């Protein structure tokens, strides 16, 4: 599946969605993949289950799709979420490529773009917001038009209202594969706009599909409620 194609995997509940996501993360880690993690609160359980399934991530690389501009120990940090629920639980952690949220946003973006270089990311895990945002690309933001850079600084469109650093649309779409994890009734309208409706800058997640590989959306029934099958 390539281009605009997306496969929907609709499972019973949040736990089953976390399980399906964890399987994919653990398989990628075992295969030594470059894996970009997502933030927000949804992935926590998937990270815990992925760590339990596979404790040796030593051949893999861990990247992030976006970060909030806060220090790594701040409870809003996407890195902190992954550290607590995944990285600290592994016997053999991956090579960690953290976005340094403690820096000034444009400096952190420049540094991360340098670190990313021309790395081929194998798997990007993404969430979506109730407004349809993805990573830290918010509805109608100018950052959605960025074509030259892989990483930019961004303004928040939703809580937490701290500046962000985010991969751009071309960077997200250049991953070999993309997995969206979306759960909960508050995401139902956004999920339809992201995965079924025509792509639009009003729904940034609708613009993200792997250009040359599979895109999978894992949803629980509540998040899939507005999607007619
Ligand atoms: C971030 C994210 C963001 C997130 C969605 C969903 O830093 O905020 O990476 O894109 O995935 O906002 O977040 P929740 O899981 O908290 O709903």
């Amino acid at each position: 599946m390539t281009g605009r194609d997306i496969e929907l995997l609709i499972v019973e509940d949040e736990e089953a969605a976390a399980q399906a996501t964890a399987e994919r993360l653990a398989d990628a880690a075992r295969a030594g993949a470059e894996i970009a993690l997502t933030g927000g609160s949804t992935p926590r359980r998937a990270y815990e289950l992925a760590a339990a399934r596979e404790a040796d991530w030593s051949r893999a690389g861990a990247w992030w799709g976006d970060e909030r501009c806060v220090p790594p120990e701040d409870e809003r940090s996407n890195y902190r979420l992954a550290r607590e629920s995944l990285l600290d639980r592994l016997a053999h952690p991956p090579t960690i490529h953290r976005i340094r949220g403690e820096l000034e946003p444009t400096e952190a973006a420049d540094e991360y773009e340098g670190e990313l270089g021309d790395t081929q990311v194998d798997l990007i895990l993404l969430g979506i917001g109730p407004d349809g945002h993805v990573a830290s690309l918010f509805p109608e933001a100018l950052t959605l038009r960025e074509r030259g850079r892989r990483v930019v600084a961004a303004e928040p469109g939703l809580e937490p209202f701290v500046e962000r650093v985010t991969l751009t649309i071309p960077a997200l779409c250049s991953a070999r594969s993309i997995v969206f994890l979306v759960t909960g009734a508050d995401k139902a309208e956004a999920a339809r706009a992201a995965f079924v409706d025509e792509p639009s800058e009003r729904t940034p997640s609708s613009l993200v599909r792997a250009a040359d590989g599979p895109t999978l959306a894992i949803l629980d029934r509540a998040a899939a409620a507005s999607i007619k099958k």
Side-chain angles (χ1 to χ4, degrees), residues 130-211:
D131 60 350
H133 81 260
V134 65
S136 284
L137 297 167
F138 291 91
E140 316 273 9
L142 287 177
T143 45
L144 292 170
R145 306 255 169 109
E146 178 62 50
R147 291 294 173 269
R149 294 184 57 109
R150 299 187 78 191
V151 187
V152 292
E155 294 299 324
L158 273 188
E159 287 184 344
F161 288 102
V162 290
E163 288 183 283
R164 313 293 184 94
V165 172
T166 184
L167 298 195
T168 58
I169 293 286
L172 295 171
C173 294
S174 72
R176 260 193 239 284
S177 64
I178 295 175
V179 174
F180 287 96
L181 169 62
V182 186
T183 60
D186 64 323
K187 304 277 178 75
E189 288 310 307
R192 186 182 40 73
F195 306 135
V196 180
D197 293 350
E198 286 301 306
S200 157
E201 287 188 354
R202 286 192 304 278
T203 306
S205 42
S206 71
L207 306 174
V208 176
R209 302 290 187 268

Side-chain angles (χ1 to χ4, degrees), residues 12 14 20-21 107 117 119 122 138 148 150 156 169 178 185 190 193 208 213:
E12 193 53 38
E14 210 176 322
T21 305
E107 191 186 344
T119 302
D122 297 297
F138 291 91
R150 299 187 78 191
I169 293 286
I178 295 175
V208 176

Side-chain angles (χ1 to χ4, degrees), residues 38-43 66 68 78 127-129 133-136 164 187:
T38 184
S41 54
T42 311
D66 75 321
R68 290 94 178 258
N78 286 341
I128 70 172
H133 81 260
V134 65
S136 284
R164 313 293 184 94
K187 304 277 178 75

